[in-house]
Structure formats: C-alpha cells, structure tokens
Amino acid sequence: MKRILTGAGASAFILGSAVAAFADQPHPWQWRFQEAATPIMEQIEWFEVYTLWFIIPITLLVLVLLAYCIIKFRASANPVPSRTSHNTLIEVIWTVGPVVILLALAVPSFQLLTAQYNPPEEAKITLKATGNQWNWDYEYQVEEPLSFNSAILQEGDRAAAGKEDKAKYPRLLAVDNEVVVPVKTTVRVLVTASDVIHAFAMPAFGIKTDAVPGRINEIWFNAEKEGLYYGQCSELCGKDHAYMPIAIRVVSDEQYNTWLTAARSDLNGANKALMMAVDGAPSVSVAGN
C-alpha cells in the first residue's frame, strides 16, 4: 500500500512541477539580505534602504566635522583655545534635528513591527517547532497531525537521501527532513524549546524568534515563491549550535496535499517523491547558483 501511495504521489508531483521554483541561501562573502520570499521581508528590505538615506549622510557629516575640528583646532594652528560655553542656534539644531530624524525612522518602523505581528488573514496551517540540542521537532496541527524530527544532513547520508547536489543541499544547511508548506498560504509557527533557549530564523521570510523552554512564541509567514529555503538556529545553544539548520520547502497546493497524505504513513517515501518532482524538473534552480 505504501508503494502504491508513494508512486501515486510522485506522479501527482511531477504533473504539478512545471512552474519554475525559486530558492535562496547564504552565499560566500554575502553582505546583503537574501532575496525576499514574503511581503514582510520585502518591507524589511525597503526599510533597510530607507534607513541608509539617514545613516550615510549622518556618518559623512560626523566625519567631516571631526576632520574640520582636528585640522582647524589643532594646537599648532590654534594655540589659544576658544572659551565659548554655549551657542543657542547650535543647541537648537542638535536637539530638533535628531528628534525629526527619530520620528522619520519611528513611524515606518512601528508600521513594520505592527505588520510582523498582525497577519492579513487567519492562518490556514499551524506548525509547531520545538528546538532541541541540536535539531528541530515539527508538528503539523491539522485534522490528522503529522510529527517528525529534522536534523542536519550528515555527509555520509547524502547518497541514500538523494541529496548529493550541494548547490541545492549545501553543507551545514541541508537537513534530512524539510518542512513542507504550500505557496501563497499563511502559516502560523508556534516556537518553543525542550531544553535551552534556541531561535527559529528564516532570513528569506523575514522571521526570527526565540525558542524558550516552557513558553510559546508565535510568528507567521506567507511565502510567495516556490523553492527550498534555509535558516538556522540564531541563539547560542551549546557546542553544536552551528549544526542546527532549518529547511522549509515551499510547493504548490497539490504537491503539499499529496505530500501530507503520503507522509502520515511513509515520511521518507513522501519526501523522496517530492524531491523527484522538484529536483527532476529542468526549470528548477537555486538563486545565485
């Protein structure tokens, strides 16, 4: 029965895999954000550029003023230092100016913060992520719950898992079991931990929250592009903190529903069928590779 289910699932995946997938991941010498895959991350990118219009001029102004003071008021050129105690105009400028700048930064930052905690619609999928030293337990809180563990993929297990392509499944980021969610669907993530503090972070989605034992933090995302996305635990949690990746595969609704049905009875077979469909499609590519 499992073989029949897995085979049917693979066929359904292949039929639905004509659309090119998108994915992003860290790259060597990367200094900008990963490409946005959610509306929230697009807002974060916009806010970063917006703040640079303030940061760069202020930094240059301070640099010019420092250079001016160093040159003009050096001991050799100014043997008798000024005894000026105050200047009303300057004091007004350096009081009012920062207030205006802070207001200009505060308004969009509060708008972004509000958007991060208020999804535009009720979540269709609730996923519980529990951090352990040093892996993740995931539970799909659906009508027929599905639970599994996700840990870093060991180099010796690549061939058996069918994940030998390090462009798609990079070292230190690839996992044995990815989280699978449908595209353009609001997903609620309940984040907690079983031992010490961890952090659930997915850069391309613009989400990051602590996983605290005995407490549940709630985040959400709505991925607009199909593909395989990588994140990591972002809270120092012990000796293997660097080996605790997060992988989320975004697929079509049909692929997700078929995978979920098959995964309840055969998770490994369902994952391989999904990989066969996605990785086997000639149009699938990883951004930047």
Side-chain angles (χ1 to χ4, degrees):
M1 181 63 185
K2 290 182 179 178
R3 291 180 180 177
I4 296 174
L5 185 61
T6 302
S11 300
F13 292 152
I14 292 172
L15 290 174
S17 62
V19 180
F22 169 94
D24 204 0
Q25 61 189 26
H27 305 295
W29 300 101
Q30 184 173 8
W31 61 278
R32 296 300 303 273
F33 290 128
Q34 293 183 28
E35 189 168 346
T38 66
I40 289 296
M41 189 56 200
E42 290 175 355
Q43 292 184 51
I44 292 174
E45 287 186 334
W46 175 88
F47 185 68
E48 183 237 0
V49 174
Y50 175 77
T51 57
L52 287 178
W53 285 101
F54 295 89
I55 294 172
I56 294 175
I58 291 173
T59 302
L60 294 176
L61 175 62
V62 172
L63 179 63
V64 170
L65 291 176
L66 282 174
Y68 175 79
C69 292
I70 291 171
I71 296 172
K72 182 174 179 60
F73 299 106
R74 67 188 187 276
S76 59
N78 192 50
V80 181
S82 171
R83 296 183 179 274
T84 302
S85 61
H86 68 279
N87 185 296
T88 303
L89 178 60
I90 292 178
E91 290 177 2
V92 170
I93 291 174
W94 72 36
T95 301
V96 175
V99 170
V100 173
I101 292 172
L102 289 175
L103 283 174
L105 292 173
V107 172
S109 69
F110 288 152
Q111 291 174 337
L112 175 58
L113 187 62
T114 300
Q116 288 177 315
Y117 285 95
N118 293 277
E121 61 181 6
E122 183 64 27
K124 296 180 181 178
I125 298 174
T126 297
L127 174 70
K128 184 178 181 181
T130 303
N132 314 299
Q133 290 179 309
W134 290 271
N135 52 72
W136 295 91
D137 287 328
Y138 296 107
E139 177 185 342
Y140 286 77
Q141 299 186 350
V142 291
E143 190 171 331
E144 294 181 45
L146 168 66
S147 301
F148 58 87
N149 180 267
S150 178
I152 190 170
L153 180 66
Q154 301 299 323
E155 291 299 302
D157 297 334
R158 283 186 176 273
K163 297 179 178 179
E164 297 176 286
D165 185 354
K166 291 188 177 181
K168 294 186 178 73
Y169 304 99
R171 178 177 174 271
L172 303 183
L173 288 176
V175 300
D176 51 2
N177 299 308
E178 295 95 3
V179 172
V180 180
V181 297
V183 69
K184 297 182 179 179
T185 300
T186 300
V187 180
R188 176 191 295 115
V189 186
L190 306 177
V191 183
T192 187
S194 63
D195 37 42
V196 299
I197 298 178
H198 302 278
F200 189 91
M202 182 60 61
F205 293 176
I207 58 174
K208 180 178 180 180
T209 191
D210 283 342
V212 183
R215 177 175 178 176
I216 293 180
N217 289 326
E218 181 178 326
I219 54 177
W220 68 275
F221 65 86
N222 188 321
E224 296 184 325
K225 304 169 186 176
E226 295 182 29
L228 183 55
Y229 301 88
Y230 293 103
Q232 290 177 295
C233 173
S234 298
E235 184 73 38
L236 187 59
C237 57
K239 70 180 185 67
D240 285 342
H241 163 67
Y243 308 101
M244 192 174 169
I246 301 165
I248 298 179
R249 191 187 291 274
V250 181
V251 297
S252 67
D253 287 332
E254 295 77 13
Q255 289 174 328
Y256 167 75
N257 291 327
T258 307
W259 171 86
L260 184 63
T261 301
R264 292 191 177 104
S265 57
D266 183 10
L267 176 63
N268 190 41
N271 287 340
K272 288 186 176 180
L274 181 57
M275 287 174 53
M276 185 184 302
V278 176
D279 293 348
S283 58
V284 172
S285 62
V286 175
N289 292 292

